Amino acid sequence: MKNKFIAAVLTSCMLVFSACDNDKLLELNENPNASLEIDFDYLLSYGMLKVSGERYESWRGNFIYSSTMIQHFAHLGTYWSGDKYLYNTSYSAALWDANYPGAIKTLTHVVDQTEGTEDVNTYAAALIMRTFALHRMTDLYGALPYNQAGRGLDGQENWFPAYEQQDEIYSLIISDLKEARDAFSADADGLGVQDLIYGGDITQWQKFANSLLMRVALRMSNVDPTTAKSVFEEAYNHSAGTFESLNDNAKIEHTTGQGINRNGNSEVFADGNGGEYAAAKPSATLVNWMKENDDPRLMIIVGGIGNPLDATTWNTTPEDQEGMPNGYDSETITTKAVADGLVASADDFVRDDVYSFLNPDLYDYDDPMFFQTYAETEFMLAEAILKGWSVSGTVEEHFTNGVTAALANWEAYDAGFALDAATIDAYITGLDFASASDEGKLELIGEQYWAATFFNHYEAYANWRRLGYPTLTPTNYSSNVTGGTIPRRLIYPTGEQSGNPDNYAAAIAEQGADLLTTRLWWDVE
């Protein structure tokens, strides 16, 4: 690589001794035998892994909050705050606290140091990943630092970054994705194997950018339909195209190594990490929906009823599977189980003997982490046609493509999850999409998108808030803080109130109170 940056240890010294003679102190701290340069492609790889996420934020942001609010999972523990609409300060802040000093700082540094240089492909990929991470964050929190995010170093010294409101952030996201997409060059240095998503294939990166633009456009379609339509159609008609098959999926193939090399979702459920493999159960909402629709994913997502670590105890009969209802604790669940006829009395209740567990084959350390899939893109195209936007094909064709891809996607976790064409065709036929009204079609699209984003609960939560499908029945746990309504966002870290008070105050003065119930810009009733 042609461009390098000074190692972080020297930057740290500059910060600590900023009031002293920097030149002399730097000379004293130089190690003549140490390398002072790091390849930007290495940092790009690290940034990608940080976006994928580690156990800390995956557990708290993706599962404890997002997965339960969207009723993919249920949990009896009150520390799984989203299940019961409770507020936990550190859990609500987890993605923010992990991303800003991690993925955002790393990727911003790569973007700033490669902008305008011959490393245009590194620049473009880093800008897409930075934008992806900030898009995920704004859809959880709302207004946040975007332009100044991650720029406290490199001489810019933005220690108290200003927030942008979400409508402005969306304009910046669109601009950055287009800039990154169009910056890729086949004549520049390739990304190579350090590109953990596409192995250096810049055309696939451009497809990813276009597919993200389509996601962003639909998200804002209820508040700025004119711009949304324009952005969607421009991305769809771009020469690079959008996702066309499972091969285009934006994902990282993790390894069984240590720390960040592992799949952060899998680390949540792996034996020894809080026992979540047994305690967190697929939600009754999800399991019942799959049973009602004869969904062939049921016994892919669900392993059975019994001890998940002892296969000899498993009941794998599909019709016997029971999802655990949201909004209950270890005491109230017994009353519910008796009322549902699952046990004769409270004395007979044993959680693992009553409710289905997550399939253990879905949380291997080397499982992939998906950022966006071909299935999602096809569902977006189907919805765009219903909106009257200019997209080729029919709504039925795109819906069928989406469902087919969503079912086939599970094979990425285990070859044994492959479904034959006859099973897939029978499932799609049973959905009877063609005879549904336009609103019925929209509901079916929303339900299938919700199922297709299982494990990417951040995205499932965002799309549900915009679209309103599937229809979810809120819980009303006794000490909830939302009045028995599903939260619409997460609350900012308390450190923002004390560490960046003026910008925090300005943000909520315009956006609304810093509460779980405050709706974001695009989340209109």
Side-chain angles (χ1 to χ4, degrees):
M1 297 298 298
K2 305 297 190 298
N3 295 281
K4 312 290 180 179
F5 80 100
I6 302 301
V9 63
L10 295 185
T11 302
S12 298
C13 292
M14 292 175 67
L15 295 176
V16 174
F17 299 110
S18 59
C20 305
D21 186 336
N22 289 341
D23 292 336
K24 291 181 180 179
L25 287 168
L26 286 174
E27 290 176 6
L28 289 173
N29 283 279
E30 286 179 355
N31 180 353
N33 298 316
S35 172
L36 302 181
E37 299 181 332
I38 298 179
D39 195 319
F40 280 120
D41 282 352
Y42 168 83
L43 280 185
L44 175 61
S45 298
Y46 179 73
M48 291 175 181
L49 289 169
K50 294 297 283 185
V51 173
S52 180
E54 298 182 80
R55 174 193 170 201
Y56 177 81
E57 67 272 23
S58 297
W59 196 350
R60 292 156 177 80
N62 196 35
F63 284 103
I64 285 178
Y65 268 109
S66 297
S67 80
T68 53
M69 293 187 296
I70 202 62
Q71 296 181 16
H72 278 160
F73 278 94
H75 199 290
L76 300 180
T78 53
Y79 72 96
W80 272 59
S81 313
D83 182 81
K84 299 162 184 62
Y85 314 154
L86 306 176
Y87 171 51
N88 183 296
T89 304
S90 62
Y91 292 1
S92 178
L95 186 66
W96 182 293
D97 288 344
N99 262 8
Y100 272 120
I104 303 305
K105 183 176 73 173
T106 301
L107 293 166
T108 300
H109 189 80
V110 177
V111 167
D112 289 349
Q113 295 301 312
T114 57
E115 184 177 12
T117 73
E118 59 191 19
D119 288 332
V120 295
N121 291 328
T122 301
Y123 166 77
L127 183 55
I128 289 174
M129 293 309 298
R130 179 185 192 269
T131 306
F132 176 93
L134 286 166
H135 180 223
R136 173 178 281 176
M137 290 179 64
T138 190
D139 282 355
L140 269 184
Y141 298 100
L144 48 71
Y146 187 97
N147 273 329
Q148 296 179 2
R151 294 190 164 109
L153 299 176
D154 297 335
Q156 300 184 57
E157 298 183 358
N158 292 312
W159 304 117
F160 306 102
Y163 288 52
E164 284 91 2
Q165 288 295 314
Q166 196 172 50
D167 58 343
E168 182 180 357
I169 291 172
Y170 263 63
S171 294
L172 292 166
I173 288 171
I174 292 166
S175 176
D176 282 350
L177 286 175
K178 288 183 177 181
E179 179 181 343
R181 177 195 65 190
D182 297 337
F184 283 107
S185 173
D187 296 326
D189 288 345
L191 294 170
V193 295
Q194 292 188 98
D195 172 6
L196 303 180
I197 299 178
Y198 289 124
D201 189 325
I202 61 175
T203 299
Q204 286 191 307
W205 273 103
Q206 291 177 307
K207 288 183 178 182
F208 183 26
N210 284 328
S211 298
L212 284 174
L213 283 165
M214 290 162 56
R215 175 188 281 180
V216 169
L218 276 177
R219 195 85 85 234
M220 63 190 293
S221 61
N222 291 333
V223 288
D224 190 353
T226 301
T227 301
K229 179 177 184 291
S230 175
V231 170
F232 192 100
E233 291 178 351
E234 190 276 342
Y236 175 73
N237 291 306
H238 186 268
S239 58
T242 62
F243 289 172
E244 300 173 284
S245 72
L246 295 178
N247 293 330
D248 294 326
N249 286 344
K251 68 180 187 301
I252 285 181
E253 298 284 354
H254 282 275
T255 72
T256 57
Q258 296 297 316
I260 199 170
N261 294 303
R262 295 174 170 177
N263 183 301
N265 286 345
S266 296
E267 286 197 307
V268 173
F269 288 92
D271 189 12
N273 285 338
E276 301 299 12
Y277 60 86
K281 304 286 190 180
S283 167
T285 303
L286 177 67
V287 171
N288 290 341
W289 176 83
M290 289 191 291
K291 289 170 68 175
E292 290 165 5
N293 290 283
D294 293 323
D295 197 307
R297 287 169 288 198
L298 175 61
M299 297 313 297
I300 292 176
I301 292 176
V302 165
I305 298 175
N307 179 352
L309 297 183
D310 183 2
T312 65
T313 69
W314 297 358
N315 175 353
T316 58
T317 303
E319 54 266 30
D320 289 345
Q321 302 309 307
E322 292 288 341
M324 191 160 71
N326 294 93
Y328 291 85
D329 58 31
S330 58
E331 293 184 2
T332 58
I333 192 64
T334 58
T335 302
K336 173 65 173 173
V338 171
D340 289 343
L342 300 178
V343 293
S345 70
D347 293 337
D348 299 321
F349 180 80
V350 177
R351 180 192 60 197
D352 288 344
D353 292 341
V354 175
Y355 297 116
S356 304
F357 56 82
L358 178 69
N359 194 328
D361 287 333
L362 294 178
Y363 49 87
D364 294 326
Y365 288 136
D366 59 353
D367 280 336
M369 181 71 77
F370 290 91
F371 299 134
Q372 190 174 25
T373 65
Y374 166 58
E376 295 170 58
T377 303
E378 286 295 321
F379 292 134
M380 290 190 289
L381 291 170
E383 184 180 348
I385 293 174
L386 288 177
K387 289 182 177 296
W389 295 356
S390 181
V391 171
S392 63
T394 68
V395 64
E396 288 83 6
E397 289 170 347
H398 288 297
F399 179 79
T400 297
N401 290 343
V403 176
T404 301
L407 269 60
N409 217 46
W410 289 101
E411 193 175 349
Y413 291 90
D414 190 287
F417 294 158
L419 298 170
D420 60 75
T423 298
I424 295 174
D425 289 345
Y427 175 63
I428 295 173
T429 298
L431 295 174
D432 198 18
F433 183 83
S435 65
S437 65
D438 282 355
E439 189 63 30
K441 286 182 171 66
L442 191 63
E443 181 174 10
L444 285 166
I445 291 169
E447 289 176 346
Q448 290 296 327
Y449 197 104
W450 172 72
T453 48
F454 187 85
F455 275 156
N456 186 358
H457 309 295
Y458 296 121
E459 175 60 20
Y461 177 47
N463 196 63
W464 172 80
R465 282 175 287 159
R466 174 190 68 86
L467 193 58
Y469 293 121
T471 301
L472 301 178
T473 301
T475 67
N476 196 17
Y477 189 71
S478 59
S479 56
N480 80 84
V481 298
T482 67
T485 63
I486 299 174
R488 310 305 296 192
R489 64 182 287 272
L490 296 187
I491 294 174
Y492 296 120
T494 54
E496 284 296 293
Q497 301 176 38
S498 58
N500 193 11
D502 293 341
N503 290 314
Y504 166 81
I508 63 172
E510 185 169 350
Q511 176 171 277
D514 192 9
L515 300 172
L516 294 173
T517 51
T518 297
R519 288 177 178 260
L520 304 186
W521 166 69
W522 50 258
D523 180 17
V524 293
E525 297 187 59

